């Protein structure tokens, strides 16, 4: 099953670099580390229109189960309106930098899995990160095969591969201006040690299936 993902880590050929001169970035990274009890790496790429895209990687020394436990208790992350909420930190970075800033990819590296969340429309990650993690909590038992196996990689979201009558591949809902928040909660891609290829988690039916899906790839 083909899953496609731009890899930002240790690959600067896509224009993303770790050396940011953006005003407020150091404070933003430090705040993320405090919120998520993590070490933060932030890569950035600024285009000709001076719009800056970020790839955020957080290394958290906890398991997925521990993360979800603390998230439910409100002791990990901060998404409710407050001085230190995630959205507020993003808005402060935009204000301090004086440029358009958006998050292209947000990755949590945990002790037993990696969660990769991709942008699907403008400002989608700041708006939907809380709901995505809440959905991971809700579906944890189902996508972990009844708590018997944790996927070592989780990709949010993936998209269906469509074919027309001529058997041409049609990738639906890939353009960022054609996506809505619902697309985060349809299909995820999972990698298990017990599976040769990635599998699809269908959130509506709470089932794991084989099939052709594509990562959102800008």
């Amino acid at each position: 099953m083909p899953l496609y993902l731009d890899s930002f880590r240790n690959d600067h050929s896509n224009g993303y670099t770790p050396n940011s001169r953006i005003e407020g970035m150091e404070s933003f990274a430090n705040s993320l580390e405090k919120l998520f009890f993590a070490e933060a790496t932030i890569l950035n790429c600024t285009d000709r229109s001076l719009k800056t895209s970020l790839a955020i990687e957080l290394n958290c020394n906890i398991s997925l189960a521990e993360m979800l436990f603390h998230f439910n208790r409100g002791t990990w992350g901060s998404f409710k309106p407050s001085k230190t909420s995630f959205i507020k930190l993003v808005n402060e970075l935009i204000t301090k930098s004086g440029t358009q800033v958006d998050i292209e990819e947000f990755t949590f590296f945990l002790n037993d899995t990696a969660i990769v969340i991709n942008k699907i429309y403008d400002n989608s990650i700041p708006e939907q990160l809380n709901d995505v993690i809440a959905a991971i909590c809700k579906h944890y038992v189902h996508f972990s095969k009844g708590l018997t196996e944790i996927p070592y990689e989780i990709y949010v979201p993936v998209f269906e591969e469509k074919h027309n009558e001529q058997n041409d591949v049609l990738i639906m809902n890939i353009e960022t201006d054609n996506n809505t928040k619902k697309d985060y909660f349809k299909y995820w891609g999972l990698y298990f040690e017990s599976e040769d290829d990635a599998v699809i988690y269908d959130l509506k039916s709470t089932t794991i299936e084989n099939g052709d899906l594509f990562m959102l790839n800008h």
Side-chain angles (χ1 to χ4, degrees):
M1 173 176 54
L3 291 180
Y4 296 97
L5 175 67
D6 282 333
S7 177
F8 295 100
R9 171 169 287 211
N10 298 323
D11 180 9
H12 302 158
S13 61
N14 52 22
Y16 283 77
T17 65
N19 300 315
S20 173
R21 297 180 180 178
I22 298 173
E23 185 69 28
M25 185 67 76
E26 183 176 356
S27 175
F28 177 68
N30 290 337
S31 295
L32 287 181
E33 291 182 338
K34 292 178 181 178
L35 282 184
F36 295 101
F37 310 112
E39 293 183 1
T41 299
I42 302 179
L43 309 182
N44 67 91
C45 179
T46 302
D47 62 22
R48 293 181 179 178
S49 64
L50 299 182
K51 183 176 181 179
T52 299
S53 297
L54 304 181
I56 298 175
E57 301 176 350
L58 295 183
N59 284 280
C60 308
N61 190 26
I62 54 176
S63 67
L64 178 58
E66 290 172 323
M67 185 196 85
L68 299 180
F69 173 77
H70 290 292
F71 172 77
N72 282 326
R73 293 190 63 186
T75 54
W76 179 89
S78 179
F79 300 98
K80 296 179 180 179
S82 69
K83 291 182 179 180
T84 58
S85 70
F86 176 62
I87 289 181
K88 186 173 181 62
L89 292 177
V90 174
N91 289 335
E92 287 178 351
L93 176 62
I94 293 172
T95 300
K96 290 179 180 179
S97 67
T99 62
Q100 289 181 287
V101 178
D102 204 352
I103 301 171
E104 194 77 15
E105 181 179 285
F106 201 119
T107 303
F108 294 100
F109 290 104
L110 307 174
N111 288 341
D112 53 358
T113 192
I115 303 169
V116 183
I117 303 167
N118 283 279
K119 169 185 171 180
I120 59 174
Y121 60 85
D122 288 346
N123 209 41
S124 65
I125 291 179
E127 288 180 2
Q128 301 301 324
L129 184 59
N130 177 69
D131 289 343
V132 168
I133 297 174
I136 293 173
C137 289
K138 179 180 178 181
H139 291 268
Y140 177 61
V141 172
H142 303 291
F143 70 69
S144 65
K145 302 180 180 181
L147 304 180
T148 63
E149 185 177 10
I150 305 300
Y152 64 85
E153 290 178 357
I154 303 169
Y155 292 97
V156 182
V158 292
F159 293 84
E160 286 185 283
E161 179 186 24
K162 301 290 187 180
H163 293 79
N164 60 16
E165 293 180 356
Q166 289 75 39
N167 204 35
D168 295 325
V169 176
L170 303 176
I171 308 302
M172 308 300 293
N173 291 327
I174 293 298
E175 297 299 328
T176 57
D177 59 357
N178 192 36
N179 287 306
T180 67
K181 65 180 182 181
K182 294 186 298 183
D183 292 310
Y184 275 125
F185 309 103
K186 292 181 179 179
Y187 304 106
W188 296 344
L190 309 177
Y191 280 89
F192 290 98
E193 293 288 352
S194 62
E195 305 281 351
D196 292 332
D197 297 305
V199 296
I200 302 158
Y201 179 69
D202 184 330
L203 280 74
K204 183 176 181 180
S205 64
T206 66
T207 57
I208 294 174
E209 305 170 355
N210 293 313
D212 289 329
L213 286 174
F214 282 80
M215 296 299 301
L216 180 68
N217 191 9
H218 298 287

